């Protein structure tokens, strides 16, 4: 891990999470999704788990909006909870909320978000970066694959991957990386945040593994 050679914090974070990112990408459930072997029930279950951790993360965003450092990272156009509710209603039906439950790994992820994202700016940004930059990157690839293999559209379950307020993801991501580079964190704090982001990746991977055991 060449994190000492990194130039700015954005680059450091990307390099520090590179291995964890690859582990997340290589999970069975993502492999099945990419190859068209994941049934729509598997995708629905995955999205249902997303609902619980985005609920926690977006509650934290409401608190962190007022924080002098973390507040700059809160962007309303990233908010995913309404899209998740729409997709789950389309995939499950109007009573979707009573029919979904969080798995063990999801509960662990939500607990960690509650532990570090409500009163530690760096902790919030670590989790925020891990999810939203991922949704704007690999998430866009997943959207194409889900459309191809399951025939889903924005109306029938893919609105989670669409950001109508962000017409150019690369432009948004470049701005986000500048925010990371400009944040007033010293080297020790940057390392703490990178470690928290690695943990966020691992918590995501654990959810994928749980789903893999059910659907792959
Ligand atoms: C389905 C598997 C995945 C694929 C194919 C994938 C693919 C990618 C690609 C191609 C990029 C680079 C985009 C760019 O530089 O503009 C990227 C970035 C990223 N991905 Fe993923 N990804 C996957 C899963 C995940 C997961 C599960 C997470 C986290 C939960 C995640 C989080 C991130 C983050 C935070 C970045 C931004 C890295 C940075 O530029 O600092 N990805 N992903």
């Amino acid at each position: 891990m060449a994190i000492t050679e990194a130039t700015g914090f954005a680059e450091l974070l990307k390099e520090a999470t590179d291995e964890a990112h690859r582990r997340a990408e290589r999970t069975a459930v993502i492999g099945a999704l990419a190859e068209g072997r994941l049934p729509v029930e598997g995708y629905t279950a995955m999205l249902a788990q997303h609902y619980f951790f985005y609920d926690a993360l977006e509650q934290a965003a409401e608190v962190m909006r007022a924080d002098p450092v973390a507040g700059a990272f809160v962007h309303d156009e990233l908010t995913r909870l309404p899209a998740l509710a729409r997709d789950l209603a389309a995939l499950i039906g109007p009573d979707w909320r009573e029919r979904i439950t969080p798995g063990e790994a999801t509960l662990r992820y939500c607990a960690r978000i509650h532990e570090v994202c409500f009163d530690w700016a760096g902790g919030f940004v670590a989790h925020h970066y891990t999810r939203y930059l991922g949704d704007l990157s690999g998430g866009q690839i997943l959207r194409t694959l889900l459309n191809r293999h399951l025939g889903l559209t924005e109306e029938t379950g893919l609105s989670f991957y669409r950001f109508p307020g962000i017409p150019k993801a690369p432009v948004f991501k470049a701005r986000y990386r500048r925010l990371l580079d400009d944040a007033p964190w010293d080297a020790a704090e940057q390392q703490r945040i990178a470690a928290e982001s690695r943990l966020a990746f691992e918590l995501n991977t654990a959810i994928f593994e749980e789903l893999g055991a059910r659907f792959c």
Side-chain angles (χ1 to χ4, degrees), residues 14 19-20 52 60 64 99 102 110 118 121 130 132 137 156-157 159 164-166 179 183 205 213:
K14 188 178 174 131
E19 265 178 53
F52 295 105
M64 281 297 175
R99 292 175 56 192
C110 292
F118 286 72
T130 304
Y132 294 110
S137 308
T156 58
S159 71
I166 303 178
L179 283 177
T205 299

Side-chain angles (χ1 to χ4, degrees), residues 2 5 15 43 68 100 146 175 178 186 188:
E5 292 160 22
E15 289 178 14
Y43 171 62
I100 64 170
L146 286 159
R175 271 207 341 255
R178 277 200 297 279
D186 63 17

Side-chain angles (χ1 to χ4, degrees), residues 36-200:
R37 289 182 283 105
L38 187 71
V40 71
E41 293 75 22
Y43 171 62
T44 304
M46 181 170 131
L47 220 49
Q49 300 311 302
H50 280 51
Y51 180 81
F52 295 105
F53 59 76
Y54 273 97
D55 189 21
L57 189 57
E58 292 180 0
Q59 280 180 38
E62 282 318 302
V63 173
M64 281 297 175
R65 193 183 280 283
D67 182 273
V69 175
F73 291 85
V74 177
H75 294 82
D76 289 336
E77 59 272 40
L78 287 174
T79 306
R80 295 292 82 204
L81 214 54
L84 282 166
R86 230 176 4 258
D87 289 341
L88 289 167
L91 289 160
I92 298 175
D95 59 344
W96 63 272
R97 185 63 189 83
E98 292 85 61
R99 292 175 56 192
I100 64 170
T101 46
E104 289 292 316
T106 301
L107 290 173
R108 282 200 300 278
Y109 189 13
C110 292
R112 186 63 187 172
I113 291 172
H114 278 283
E115 227 168 276
V116 300
C117 293
F118 286 72
D119 59 5
W120 172 30
F124 171 72
V125 171
H127 285 268
H128 190 273
Y129 159 82
T130 304
R131 278 306 328 178
Y132 294 110
L133 247 56
D135 296 333
L136 287 169
S137 308
Q140 300 310 301
I141 302 169
L142 295 186
R143 174 164 65 127
T144 306
L145 293 169
L146 286 159
N147 170 259
R148 182 181 307 157
H149 297 310
L150 294 176
L152 295 171
T153 64
E154 207 177 315
E155 288 69 39
T156 58
L158 290 187
S159 71
F160 171 73
Y161 298 102
R162 264 269 297 146
F163 291 83
I166 303 178
K168 292 194 174 128
V171 174
F172 185 93
K173 287 195 288 185
R175 271 207 341 255
Y176 194 100
R177 291 197 183 100
R178 277 200 297 279
L179 283 177
L180 289 169
D181 286 341
D182 293 346
W185 292 312
D186 63 17
E189 180 65 358
Q190 289 183 352
Q191 293 296 341
R192 281 182 70 209
I193 297 167
E196 187 62 36
S197 180
R198 275 195 296 272
L199 176 60

Side-chain angles (χ1 to χ4, degrees), residues 10-27:
E11 195 51 34
L12 183 153
L13 203 47
K14 188 178 174 131
E15 289 178 14
T17 54
D18 186 49
E19 265 178 53
H21 184 269
R22 256 174 287 158
R23 273 197 296 277
E25 273 183 274
R26 286 199 206 110
T27 49

